[in-house]
Protein backbone atom coordinates (compact mmCIF):
# COMPACT_ATOMS: atom_id res chain seq x y z
CA UNK A 1 0.00 0.00 0.00
CA UNK A 2 3.01 2.31 0.14
CA UNK A 3 4.35 4.09 3.19
CA UNK A 4 2.87 7.58 2.74
CA UNK A 5 0.42 8.54 5.46
CA UNK A 6 -1.23 11.92 5.70
CA UNK A 7 -0.59 13.94 8.87
CA UNK A 8 -2.65 16.84 10.17
CA UNK A 9 0.61 18.53 11.27
CA UNK A 10 1.33 19.11 7.55
CA UNK A 11 -1.29 21.90 7.70
CA UNK A 12 0.72 23.58 10.46
CA UNK A 13 3.88 23.26 8.34
CA UNK A 14 2.04 24.83 5.40
CA UNK A 15 0.87 27.73 7.61
CA UNK A 16 4.44 28.21 8.80
CA UNK A 17 6.13 28.18 5.39
CA UNK A 18 3.66 30.69 3.93
CA UNK A 19 4.32 33.16 6.76
CA UNK A 20 6.60 35.96 5.52
CA UNK A 21 7.95 36.49 9.05
CA UNK A 22 8.56 32.82 9.76
CA UNK A 23 11.31 31.78 12.14
CA UNK A 24 13.30 28.53 12.10
CA UNK A 25 10.90 25.79 13.19
CA UNK A 26 11.78 23.19 15.82
CA UNK A 27 9.57 20.09 15.79
CA UNK A 28 9.18 18.62 19.26
CA UNK A 29 7.76 15.23 20.18
CA UNK A 30 8.65 11.74 21.35
CA UNK A 31 10.88 9.46 19.36
CA UNK A 32 9.23 7.66 16.42
CA UNK A 33 6.07 9.77 16.19
CA UNK A 34 7.00 10.62 12.58
CA UNK A 35 8.77 14.01 12.75
CA UNK A 36 11.33 13.33 10.01
CA UNK A 37 8.79 11.62 7.74
CA UNK A 38 6.49 14.63 8.09
CA UNK A 39 9.21 16.98 6.80
CA UNK A 40 10.21 14.70 3.89
CA UNK A 41 6.61 14.20 2.77
CA UNK A 42 5.90 17.92 3.09
CA UNK A 43 8.85 18.85 0.86
CA UNK A 44 7.74 16.26 -1.66
CA UNK A 45 4.19 17.63 -1.73
CA UNK A 46 5.23 21.29 -1.88
CA UNK A 47 7.98 20.56 -4.46
CA UNK A 48 10.67 22.03 -2.21
CA UNK A 49 14.33 21.03 -2.49
CA UNK A 50 14.96 19.12 0.71
CA UNK A 51 18.46 19.44 2.13
CA UNK A 52 18.54 17.00 5.02
CA UNK A 53 21.48 16.61 7.37
CA UNK A 54 21.46 14.00 10.12
CA UNK A 55 23.71 15.72 12.64
CA UNK A 56 24.48 12.48 14.49
CA UNK A 57 26.63 11.59 11.47
CA UNK A 58 28.49 14.91 11.43
CA UNK A 59 29.33 15.64 15.05
CA UNK A 60 32.28 17.85 14.03
CA UNK A 61 29.72 20.39 12.76
CA UNK A 62 29.15 21.41 16.39
CA UNK A 63 32.37 23.46 16.17
CA UNK A 64 31.21 25.01 12.89
CA UNK A 65 27.87 25.98 14.44
CA UNK A 66 29.70 27.40 17.42
CA UNK A 67 31.31 30.05 15.17
CA UNK A 68 27.83 31.53 14.51
CA UNK A 69 29.18 32.38 11.06
CA UNK A 70 26.22 31.73 8.79
CA UNK A 71 28.28 31.75 5.57
CA UNK A 72 30.66 29.14 6.95
CA UNK A 73 27.77 27.02 8.25
CA UNK A 74 25.95 27.09 4.89
CA UNK A 75 29.13 26.34 2.98
CA UNK A 76 29.70 23.22 5.15
CA UNK A 77 26.07 22.09 4.71
CA UNK A 78 26.29 22.52 0.93
CA UNK A 79 29.51 20.50 0.81
CA UNK A 80 28.03 17.66 2.89
CA UNK A 81 24.76 17.50 0.96
CA UNK A 82 26.36 18.25 -2.41
CA UNK A 83 23.43 20.62 -3.03
CA UNK A 84 23.35 24.37 -3.48
CA UNK A 85 20.97 26.15 -1.10
CA UNK A 86 18.44 28.21 -3.06
CA UNK A 87 15.20 30.11 -2.44
CA UNK A 88 13.30 26.86 -3.04
CA UNK A 89 15.32 24.89 -0.46
CA UNK A 90 14.17 23.64 2.90
CA UNK A 91 17.06 22.90 5.24
CA UNK A 92 16.22 20.08 7.64
CA UNK A 93 18.60 19.60 10.57
CA UNK A 94 17.65 16.21 12.01
CA UNK A 95 18.93 14.87 15.34
CA UNK A 96 19.87 18.43 16.26
CA UNK A 97 20.46 17.41 19.89
CA UNK A 98 23.68 15.71 18.69
CA UNK A 99 25.29 19.12 17.99
CA UNK A 100 23.72 21.44 20.59
CA UNK A 101 25.42 24.59 19.20
CA UNK A 102 23.19 24.14 16.13
CA UNK A 103 20.26 25.18 18.36
CA UNK A 104 22.11 28.40 19.20
CA UNK A 105 22.96 28.96 15.53
CA UNK A 106 19.26 28.93 14.57
CA UNK A 107 19.04 32.59 15.62
CA UNK A 108 21.60 33.50 12.95
CA UNK A 109 19.54 31.75 10.30
CA UNK A 110 16.65 33.95 11.44
CA UNK A 111 18.72 37.15 11.53
CA UNK A 112 21.05 36.68 8.55
CA UNK A 113 19.31 34.17 6.25
CA UNK A 114 15.62 34.99 6.64
CA UNK A 115 14.59 33.72 3.20
CA UNK A 116 15.78 30.15 3.95
CA UNK A 117 13.19 27.76 5.42
CA UNK A 118 14.88 25.92 8.30
CA UNK A 119 13.36 23.01 10.25
CA UNK A 120 15.04 21.17 13.11
CA UNK A 121 13.99 18.00 14.92
CA UNK A 122 15.54 15.37 17.11
CA UNK A 123 14.94 12.58 19.54
CA UNK A 124 15.36 13.55 23.19
CA UNK A 125 15.58 17.15 22.02
CA UNK A 126 13.88 18.33 25.23
CA UNK A 127 17.04 17.50 27.18
CA UNK A 128 19.09 19.87 25.01
CA UNK A 129 16.38 22.54 25.26
CA UNK A 130 16.46 22.14 29.03
CA UNK A 131 20.25 22.49 29.21
CA UNK A 132 20.83 26.12 30.08
CA UNK A 133 24.56 25.92 29.44
CA UNK A 134 23.58 26.81 25.86
CA UNK A 135 22.06 30.15 25.07
CA UNK A 136 18.69 29.36 23.55
CA UNK A 137 17.55 31.56 20.67
CA UNK A 138 14.45 32.80 22.54
CA UNK A 139 12.12 34.74 20.26
CA UNK A 140 14.11 33.66 17.18
CA UNK A 141 12.59 30.19 16.76
CA UNK A 142 9.13 28.66 16.93
CA UNK A 143 7.98 25.23 17.96
CA UNK A 144 5.65 22.66 16.45
CA UNK A 145 4.48 20.00 18.92
CA UNK A 146 3.79 16.61 17.44
CA UNK A 147 2.19 13.55 18.98
CA UNK A 148 1.23 10.11 17.72
CA UNK A 149 -1.28 9.79 14.88
CA UNK A 150 -4.87 10.50 15.84
CA UNK A 151 -7.96 8.41 15.23
CA UNK A 152 -8.82 10.55 12.17
CA UNK A 153 -5.28 10.07 10.77
CA UNK A 154 -5.71 6.35 11.40
CA UNK A 155 -8.96 6.44 9.37
CA UNK A 156 -7.13 8.26 6.55
CA UNK A 157 -4.38 5.64 6.59
CA UNK A 158 -7.01 2.88 6.42
CA UNK A 159 -8.64 4.62 3.42
CA UNK A 160 -11.83 5.11 5.44
CA UNK A 161 -12.32 8.50 3.79
CA UNK A 162 -16.11 8.23 3.64
CA UNK A 163 -16.42 7.57 7.38
CA UNK A 164 -13.97 10.38 8.15
CA UNK A 165 -15.98 12.81 6.02
CA UNK A 166 -19.19 11.75 7.78
CA UNK A 167 -17.65 12.31 11.23
CA UNK A 168 -16.36 15.70 10.15
CA UNK A 169 -19.80 16.79 8.93
CA UNK A 170 -21.92 15.67 11.91
CA UNK A 171 -23.46 18.69 13.60
CA UNK A 172 -25.94 16.83 15.80
CA UNK A 173 -25.59 13.39 17.35
CA UNK A 174 -29.05 12.51 15.98
CA UNK A 175 -27.36 12.31 12.56
CA UNK A 176 -25.35 9.23 13.62
CA UNK A 177 -26.95 6.13 12.08
CA UNK A 178 -26.70 2.70 13.70
CA UNK A 179 -24.61 1.51 10.73
CA UNK A 180 -22.10 4.36 11.05
CA UNK A 181 -21.93 3.87 14.83
CA UNK A 182 -21.19 0.14 14.51
CA UNK A 183 -18.44 0.72 11.96
CA UNK A 184 -16.85 3.45 14.11
CA UNK A 185 -16.89 1.24 17.22
CA UNK A 186 -15.21 -1.54 15.20
CA UNK A 187 -12.49 0.87 13.98
CA UNK A 188 -12.13 2.32 17.49
CA UNK A 189 -11.47 -1.19 18.82
CA UNK A 190 -8.74 -1.54 16.19
CA UNK A 191 -7.19 1.79 17.18
CA UNK A 192 -7.21 0.77 20.86
CA UNK A 193 -4.90 -2.08 19.86
CA UNK A 194 -2.80 -0.42 17.17
CA UNK A 195 -2.54 3.05 18.72
CA UNK A 196 -1.05 6.03 16.91
CA UNK A 197 2.60 5.17 16.30
CA UNK A 198 3.08 5.52 12.50
CA UNK A 199 5.00 2.27 12.05
CA UNK A 200 2.28 0.30 13.87
CA UNK A 201 -0.45 1.96 11.77
CA UNK A 202 1.50 1.12 8.61
CA UNK A 203 1.37 -2.56 9.57
CA UNK A 204 -2.35 -2.28 10.46
CA UNK A 205 -3.02 -0.73 7.04
CA UNK A 206 -2.14 -4.09 5.57
CA UNK A 207 -4.04 -5.93 8.35
CA UNK A 208 -0.71 -7.30 9.58
CA UNK A 209 -1.78 -7.40 13.25
CA UNK A 210 0.85 -9.97 14.24
CA UNK A 211 3.54 -7.49 13.29
CA UNK A 212 1.89 -4.58 15.17
CA UNK A 213 2.77 -6.09 18.56
CA UNK A 214 6.41 -6.64 17.51
CA UNK A 215 6.71 -3.04 16.30
CA UNK A 216 5.26 -1.71 19.56
CA UNK A 217 7.65 -3.85 21.61
CA UNK A 218 10.58 -2.51 19.59
CA UNK A 219 9.46 1.08 20.22
CA UNK A 220 9.13 0.39 23.96
CA UNK A 221 12.61 -1.16 23.96
CA UNK A 222 13.98 1.91 22.15
CA UNK A 223 12.48 4.19 24.81
CA UNK A 224 13.97 2.09 27.57
CA UNK A 225 17.41 1.97 25.93
CA UNK A 226 17.21 5.79 25.70
CA UNK A 227 17.11 5.96 29.51
CA UNK A 228 20.85 5.34 29.43
CA UNK A 229 21.31 8.60 27.51
CA UNK A 230 19.62 10.87 30.02
CA UNK A 231 19.88 9.27 33.41
CA UNK A 232 22.81 8.23 35.60
CA UNK A 233 23.65 4.55 35.62
CA UNK A 234 22.67 4.35 39.29
CA UNK A 235 19.17 5.62 38.45
CA UNK A 236 18.56 3.21 35.57
CA UNK A 237 16.62 0.69 37.63
CA UNK A 238 14.50 3.45 39.21
CA UNK A 239 13.46 5.06 35.93
CA UNK A 240 12.59 1.65 34.46
CA UNK A 241 10.41 0.99 37.51
CA UNK A 242 8.64 4.36 37.16
CA UNK A 243 8.17 3.89 33.40
CA UNK A 244 6.64 0.45 33.87
CA UNK A 245 4.38 1.69 36.67
CA UNK A 246 2.85 4.57 34.71
CA UNK A 247 2.36 2.42 31.59
CA UNK A 248 0.61 -0.26 33.67
CA UNK A 249 -1.43 2.28 35.69
CA UNK A 250 -2.34 5.10 33.29
CA UNK A 251 -4.73 7.92 34.23
CA UNK A 252 -4.20 7.45 37.98
CA UNK A 253 -3.27 10.09 40.52
CA UNK A 254 0.40 9.71 41.35
CA UNK A 255 1.16 8.53 44.88
CA UNK A 256 4.88 7.90 45.13
CA UNK A 257 4.44 5.11 47.70
CA UNK A 258 2.42 3.16 45.11
CA UNK A 259 5.37 3.28 42.70
CA UNK A 260 7.99 2.24 45.24
CA UNK A 261 8.75 2.51 48.94
CA UNK A 262 12.50 2.06 48.30
CA UNK A 263 13.01 5.62 47.01
CA UNK A 264 12.11 9.09 48.23
CA UNK A 265 9.26 10.96 46.56
CA UNK A 266 11.86 13.49 45.40
CA UNK A 267 13.86 10.78 43.58
CA UNK A 268 10.72 9.33 41.96
CA UNK A 269 9.49 12.80 40.99
CA UNK A 270 12.82 13.49 39.27
CA UNK A 271 12.52 10.27 37.21
CA UNK A 272 8.94 11.15 36.26
CA UNK A 273 10.10 14.58 35.10
CA UNK A 274 12.67 12.91 32.82
CA UNK A 275 9.91 10.77 31.26
CA UNK A 276 7.79 13.90 30.77
CA UNK A 277 10.74 15.60 29.07
CA UNK A 278 11.22 12.60 26.80
CA UNK A 279 7.49 13.02 25.92
CA UNK A 280 6.75 9.36 26.61
CA UNK A 281 4.27 10.47 29.29
CA UNK A 282 2.49 13.67 30.33
CA UNK A 283 1.36 15.13 33.64
CA UNK A 284 -2.34 16.01 33.94
CA UNK A 285 -2.34 18.61 36.71
CA UNK A 286 -5.18 19.29 39.11
CA UNK A 287 -6.76 22.73 38.73
CA UNK A 288 -9.22 24.28 41.17
CA UNK A 289 -11.10 25.57 38.09
CA UNK A 290 -11.64 29.10 39.34
CA UNK A 291 -11.51 30.46 35.81
CA UNK A 292 -9.44 30.85 32.67
CA UNK A 293 -6.57 30.06 32.30
CA UNK A 294 -6.64 26.71 34.08
CA UNK A 295 -2.88 26.86 34.60
CA UNK A 296 -3.30 29.91 36.89
CA UNK A 297 -4.95 27.74 39.52
CA UNK A 298 -3.15 24.43 38.99
CA UNK A 299 -1.34 22.37 41.58
CA UNK A 300 2.03 20.95 40.64
CA UNK A 301 1.83 18.48 43.56
CA UNK A 302 -1.49 16.89 42.62
CA UNK A 303 -1.37 15.24 39.21
CA UNK A 304 -2.10 12.05 37.32
CA UNK A 305 -0.30 10.81 34.24
CA UNK A 306 -1.34 9.80 30.78
CA UNK A 307 1.09 8.10 28.47
CA UNK A 308 2.11 8.77 24.91
CA UNK A 309 0.00 6.14 23.20
CA UNK A 310 -2.76 3.63 23.94
CA UNK A 311 -1.19 1.03 21.62
CA UNK A 312 2.11 1.14 23.53
CA UNK A 313 0.19 0.91 26.80
CA UNK A 314 -1.54 -2.28 25.64
CA UNK A 315 1.74 -3.69 24.31
CA UNK A 316 3.41 -3.26 27.71
CA UNK A 317 0.38 -4.95 29.27
CA UNK A 318 0.83 -7.83 26.74
CA UNK A 319 -2.68 -7.50 25.30
CA UNK A 320 -2.91 -9.25 21.94
CA UNK A 321 -5.18 -8.30 19.03
CA UNK A 322 -7.15 -11.51 19.65
CA UNK A 323 -7.68 -10.41 23.26
CA UNK A 324 -8.97 -6.94 22.34
CA UNK A 325 -10.98 -8.25 19.40
CA UNK A 326 -12.86 -10.86 21.43
CA UNK A 327 -13.27 -9.04 24.75
CA UNK A 328 -16.04 -6.43 24.81
CA UNK A 329 -15.23 -5.55 28.41
CA UNK A 330 -11.86 -4.16 27.31
CA UNK A 331 -13.60 -1.68 25.03
CA UNK A 332 -15.51 -0.34 28.01
CA UNK A 333 -12.43 -0.38 30.27
CA UNK A 334 -12.25 2.98 32.02
CA UNK A 335 -8.47 3.45 31.79
CA UNK A 336 -8.39 2.61 28.07
CA UNK A 337 -11.17 5.04 27.19
CA UNK A 338 -9.63 7.73 29.39
CA UNK A 339 -6.18 7.26 27.82
CA UNK A 340 -7.67 7.42 24.31
CA UNK A 341 -9.49 10.68 25.09
CA UNK A 342 -6.46 12.13 26.93
CA UNK A 343 -3.95 11.53 24.15
CA UNK A 344 -6.31 13.24 21.71
CA UNK A 345 -7.02 16.20 23.97
CA UNK A 346 -3.37 16.90 24.74
CA UNK A 347 -2.52 17.47 21.08
CA UNK A 348 -5.92 18.92 20.21
CA UNK A 349 -4.88 22.49 20.95
CA UNK A 350 -2.93 24.51 18.40
CA UNK A 351 0.15 22.46 17.70
CA UNK A 352 2.35 25.56 18.08
CA UNK A 353 1.55 25.58 21.82
CA UNK A 354 3.15 23.41 24.49
CA UNK A 355 0.74 20.50 25.13
CA UNK A 356 -0.88 20.61 28.57
CA UNK A 357 -3.88 19.05 30.21
CA UNK A 358 -5.76 19.46 33.50
CA UNK A 359 -8.24 17.61 35.62
CA UNK A 360 -10.24 18.37 38.77
CA UNK A 361 -10.19 16.49 42.03
CA UNK A 362 -12.10 16.89 45.26
CA UNK A 363 -10.86 14.83 48.17
CA UNK A 364 -12.50 15.13 51.55
CA UNK A 365 -14.47 13.32 54.21
CA UNK A 366 -17.54 13.38 52.01
CA UNK A 367 -18.45 14.04 48.37
CA UNK A 368 -15.17 12.78 46.86
CA UNK A 369 -15.24 13.55 43.15
CA UNK A 370 -12.97 13.61 40.11
CA UNK A 371 -13.44 15.04 36.62
CA UNK A 372 -11.24 13.18 34.12
CA UNK A 373 -10.24 16.29 32.15
CA UNK A 374 -11.02 20.00 32.14
CA UNK A 375 -10.23 22.11 29.06
CA UNK A 376 -10.70 25.74 28.03
CA UNK A 377 -12.93 26.78 25.15
CA UNK A 378 -14.11 30.30 24.24
CA UNK A 379 -13.52 31.63 27.80
CA UNK A 380 -15.50 28.71 29.27
CA UNK A 381 -14.26 25.71 31.20
CA UNK A 382 -15.41 22.37 29.80
CA UNK A 383 -15.54 19.37 32.13
CA UNK A 384 -14.93 16.11 30.28
CA UNK A 385 -16.00 12.84 31.85
CA UNK A 386 -15.09 9.55 30.20
CA UNK A 387 -17.44 6.78 31.27
CA UNK A 388 -16.62 3.30 30.14
CA UNK A 389 -20.16 1.96 29.64
CA UNK A 390 -23.04 3.52 27.77
CA UNK A 391 -24.73 4.94 30.90
CA UNK A 392 -22.08 5.98 33.41
CA UNK A 393 -22.53 7.97 36.61
CA UNK A 394 -22.49 11.75 36.49
CA UNK A 395 -22.23 12.50 40.22
CA UNK A 396 -18.75 14.01 39.71
CA UNK A 397 -20.17 16.42 37.11
CA UNK A 398 -22.83 17.56 39.60
CA UNK A 399 -20.12 18.13 42.20
CA UNK A 400 -17.93 20.06 39.75
CA UNK A 401 -20.85 22.26 38.67
CA UNK A 402 -21.49 22.90 42.37
CA UNK A 403 -17.87 23.55 43.46
CA UNK A 404 -15.96 25.06 40.53
CA UNK A 405 -16.01 28.84 40.78
CA UNK A 406 -15.47 29.57 37.07
CA UNK A 407 -18.29 31.82 35.80
CA UNK A 408 -18.80 29.89 32.53
CA UNK A 409 -18.96 26.10 32.63
CA UNK A 410 -20.00 23.32 30.27
CA UNK A 411 -20.07 19.54 30.54
CA UNK A 412 -19.31 16.73 28.08
CA UNK A 413 -19.52 13.02 28.73
CA UNK A 414 -17.84 10.56 26.35
CA UNK A 415 -19.05 6.98 26.19
CA UNK A 416 -19.92 4.21 23.73
CA UNK A 417 -23.47 5.39 23.07
CA UNK A 418 -24.46 7.39 19.98
CA UNK A 419 -24.75 10.48 22.17
CA UNK A 420 -27.48 12.85 23.35
CA UNK A 421 -28.18 16.31 24.74
CA UNK A 422 -30.06 16.52 28.00
CA UNK A 423 -31.07 19.17 30.50
CA UNK A 424 -29.97 18.24 33.99
CA UNK A 425 -31.72 19.45 37.16
CA UNK A 426 -30.20 18.17 40.37
CA UNK A 427 -30.24 19.25 43.99
CA UNK A 428 -26.88 19.13 45.77
CA UNK A 429 -26.77 20.39 49.36
CA UNK A 430 -28.94 23.53 49.31
CA UNK A 431 -28.27 24.31 45.68
CA UNK A 432 -30.42 23.43 42.64
CA UNK A 433 -28.08 22.75 39.72
CA UNK A 434 -29.31 23.29 36.17
CA UNK A 435 -27.03 22.59 33.22
CA UNK A 436 -26.90 20.96 29.82
CA UNK A 437 -25.05 17.67 29.52
CA UNK A 438 -23.70 16.79 26.10
CA UNK A 439 -22.95 13.09 25.59
CA UNK A 440 -20.75 12.17 22.63
CA UNK A 441 -19.47 8.83 21.33
CA UNK A 442 -15.77 8.34 22.15
CA UNK A 443 -14.77 8.31 18.47
CA UNK A 444 -15.89 11.95 18.07
CA UNK A 445 -13.23 13.28 20.47
CA UNK A 446 -11.45 15.30 17.76
CA UNK A 447 -14.69 17.10 16.85
CA UNK A 448 -16.09 17.97 20.30
CA UNK A 449 -15.76 21.72 19.63
CA UNK A 450 -18.29 21.40 16.79
CA UNK A 451 -20.96 20.46 19.34
CA UNK A 452 -20.22 23.04 22.05
CA UNK A 453 -21.94 26.37 21.51
Amino acid sequence: MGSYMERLAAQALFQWIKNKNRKPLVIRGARQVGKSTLVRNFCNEQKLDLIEINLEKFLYLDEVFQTNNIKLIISNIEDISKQKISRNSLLFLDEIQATPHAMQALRYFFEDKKDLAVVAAGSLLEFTLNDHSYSMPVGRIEYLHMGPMTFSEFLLAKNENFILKRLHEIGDVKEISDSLHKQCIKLLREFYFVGGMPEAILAAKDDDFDNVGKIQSNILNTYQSDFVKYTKKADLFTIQKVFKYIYLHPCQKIKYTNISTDYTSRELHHQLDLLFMAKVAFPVKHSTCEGVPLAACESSKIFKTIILDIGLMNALQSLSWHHIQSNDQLLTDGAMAEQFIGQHLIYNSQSFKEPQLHYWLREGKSHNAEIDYVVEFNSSLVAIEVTSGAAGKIRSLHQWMHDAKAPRKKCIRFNLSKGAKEKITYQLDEKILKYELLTLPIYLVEYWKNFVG
Side-chain angles (χ1 to χ4, degrees):
M1 277 195 181
S3 62
Y4 176 68
M5 291 189 292
E6 210 169 317
R7 297 299 301 263
L8 301 176
Q11 295 165 8
L13 271 184
F14 186 74
Q15 253 180 290
W16 166 77
I17 205 147
K18 292 293 169 211
N19 184 352
K20 287 189 178 112
N21 300 313
R22 65 163 182 251
K23 299 168 184 175
L25 184 70
V26 178
I27 305 178
R28 296 167 72 174
R31 206 193 246 286
Q32 297 194 29
V33 293
K35 301 184 292 291
S36 306
T37 309
L38 172 78
V39 177
R40 289 174 200 138
N41 288 341
F42 179 75
C43 286
N44 203 17
E45 271 190 357
Q46 299 299 320
K47 299 192 168 38
L48 294 166
D49 299 328
L50 173 64
I51 296 174
E52 179 178 348
I53 305 284
N54 181 333
L55 292 171
E56 275 186 336
K57 295 177 181 172
F58 302 98
L59 296 178
Y60 69 86
L61 281 177
D62 202 43
E63 289 174 25
V64 179
F65 285 120
Q66 203 171 354
T67 65
N68 297 327
N69 179 333
I70 206 75
K71 280 185 179 167
L72 182 66
I73 292 167
I74 282 177
S75 158
N76 271 271
I77 286 168
E78 288 180 334
D79 289 344
I80 288 169
S81 64
K82 296 177 186 167
Q83 285 171 274
K84 264 315 228 187
I85 286 175
S86 71
R87 277 187 169 275
N88 197 47
S89 300
L90 184 144
L91 172 60
F92 179 35
L93 300 173
D94 203 6
E95 302 298 356
I96 194 170
Q97 80 290 338
T99 58
H101 285 102
M103 282 298 298
Q104 246 175 270
L106 290 177
R107 70 172 292 172
Y108 298 100
F109 280 103
F110 173 67
E111 289 169 3
D112 305 334
K113 195 74 181 157
K114 254 196 163 89
D115 57 332
L116 176 62
V118 181
V119 177
S123 50
L124 307 181
L125 177 59
E126 311 303 309
F127 293 89
T128 304
L129 292 169
N130 203 48
D131 184 351
H132 297 296
S133 62
Y134 297 98
S135 107
M136 284 298 149
V138 181
R140 310 285 202 291
I141 54 176
E142 48 195 304
Y143 296 112
L144 173 64
H145 298 274
M146 196 172 167
M149 291 173 77
T150 63
F151 185 58
S152 62
E153 289 174 322
F154 170 73
L155 293 179
L156 271 175
K158 293 277 291 179
N159 294 322
E160 295 286 1
N161 300 38
F162 180 81
I163 286 182
L164 186 62
K165 191 168 184 286
R166 286 281 286 115
L167 296 183
H168 195 69
E169 287 169 353
I170 292 166
D172 188 321
V173 287
K174 289 174 186 161
E175 297 166 29
I176 301 172
S177 69
D178 285 348
S179 304
L180 179 67
H181 185 64
K182 276 179 187 159
Q183 287 181 77
C184 288
I185 294 292
K186 183 174 176 285
L187 287 158
L188 182 71
R189 186 193 295 271
E190 209 175 296
F191 187 90
Y192 272 22
F193 173 65
V194 176
M197 301 309 278
E199 204 185 337
I201 288 184
L202 203 55
K205 251 178 105 165
D206 299 320
D207 294 328
D208 185 1
F209 291 109
D210 289 341
N211 208 23
V212 168
K214 287 178 199 159
I215 289 164
Q216 290 165 332
S217 295
N218 287 342
I219 293 171
L220 288 167
N221 289 338
T222 303
Y223 288 162
Q224 293 182 78
S225 62
D226 278 343
F227 296 164
V228 181
K229 295 179 186 173
Y230 56 83
T231 194
K232 295 184 197 121
K233 211 171 181 182
D235 296 334
L236 209 49
F237 179 73
T238 325
I239 199 164
Q240 283 170 339
K241 201 177 178 75
V242 174
F243 177 77
K244 200 161 186 191
Y245 177 85
I246 59 175
Y247 267 66
L248 292 174
H249 304 88
C251 312
Q252 288 185 14
K253 181 188 169 191
I254 290 295
K255 289 182 180 169
Y256 294 112
T257 49
N258 289 349
I259 302 175
S260 175
T261 49
D262 299 332
Y263 304 94
T264 65
S265 54
R266 191 179 171 183
E267 285 171 313
L268 294 170
H269 183 76
H270 174 66
Q271 304 304 337
L272 259 178
D273 272 347
L274 293 176
L275 294 174
F276 295 154
M277 276 171 64
K279 303 287 187 200
V280 297
F282 300 92
V284 182
K285 292 178 185 172
H286 161 66
S287 172
T288 53
C289 296
E290 285 162 39
V292 176
L294 280 162
C297 39
E298 74 181 18
S299 161
S300 57
K301 288 185 179 168
I302 302 170
F303 65 98
K304 61 182 181 179
T305 54
I306 64 164
I307 54 187
L308 175 66
D309 177 58
I310 190 170
L312 295 180
M313 167 184 118
N314 289 330
L316 199 69
Q317 295 183 10
S318 302
L319 287 176
S320 66
W321 170 231
H322 173 73
H323 204 137
I324 289 179
Q325 201 179 14
S326 56
N327 190 333
D328 281 343
Q329 263 185 312
L330 280 176
L331 202 58
T332 59
D333 174 78
M336 262 201 207
E338 201 180 318
Q339 168 62 36
F340 173 84
I341 296 289
Q343 78 182 63
H344 281 79
L345 289 177
I346 202 156
Y347 282 106
N348 198 20
S349 59
Q350 292 162 313
S351 39
F352 294 107
K353 279 187 186 170
E354 179 86 41
Q356 57 171 335
L357 204 45
H358 294 90
Y359 81 124
W360 179 81
L361 184 67
R362 174 191 165 126
E363 291 177 307
K365 287 178 182 171
S366 64
H367 300 324
N368 276 6
E370 180 180 321
I371 297 294
D372 294 325
Y373 302 110
V374 185
V375 293
E376 298 166 21
F377 180 62
N378 286 351
S379 309
S380 296
L381 292 190
V382 182
I384 293 178
E385 265 291 78
V386 187
T387 55
S388 42
K393 295 172 188 166
I394 55 169
R395 194 178 62 77
S396 288
L397 287 172
H398 299 330
Q399 196 68 55
W400 183 76
M401 288 301 288
H402 180 276
D403 289 10
K405 293 185 172 64
R408 298 175 66 188
K409 295 177 284 193
K410 296 175 188 290
C411 295
I412 300 177
R413 169 176 58 180
F414 282 104
N415 63 18
L416 291 173
S417 74
K418 288 199 297 180
K421 265 187 183 178
E422 51 197 301
K423 301 260 188 242
I424 303 288
T425 304
Y426 186 83
Q427 182 165 354
L428 186 60
D429 299 335
E430 302 300 307
K431 202 171 175 181
I432 303 279
L433 300 169
K434 288 190 174 185
Y435 63 96
E436 187 175 85
L437 174 61
L438 169 66
T439 301
L440 293 173
I442 288 174
Y443 53 77
L444 276 179
V445 60
E446 290 169 84
Y447 306 105
W448 67 266
K449 290 177 184 174
N450 298 351
F451 298 86
V452 180

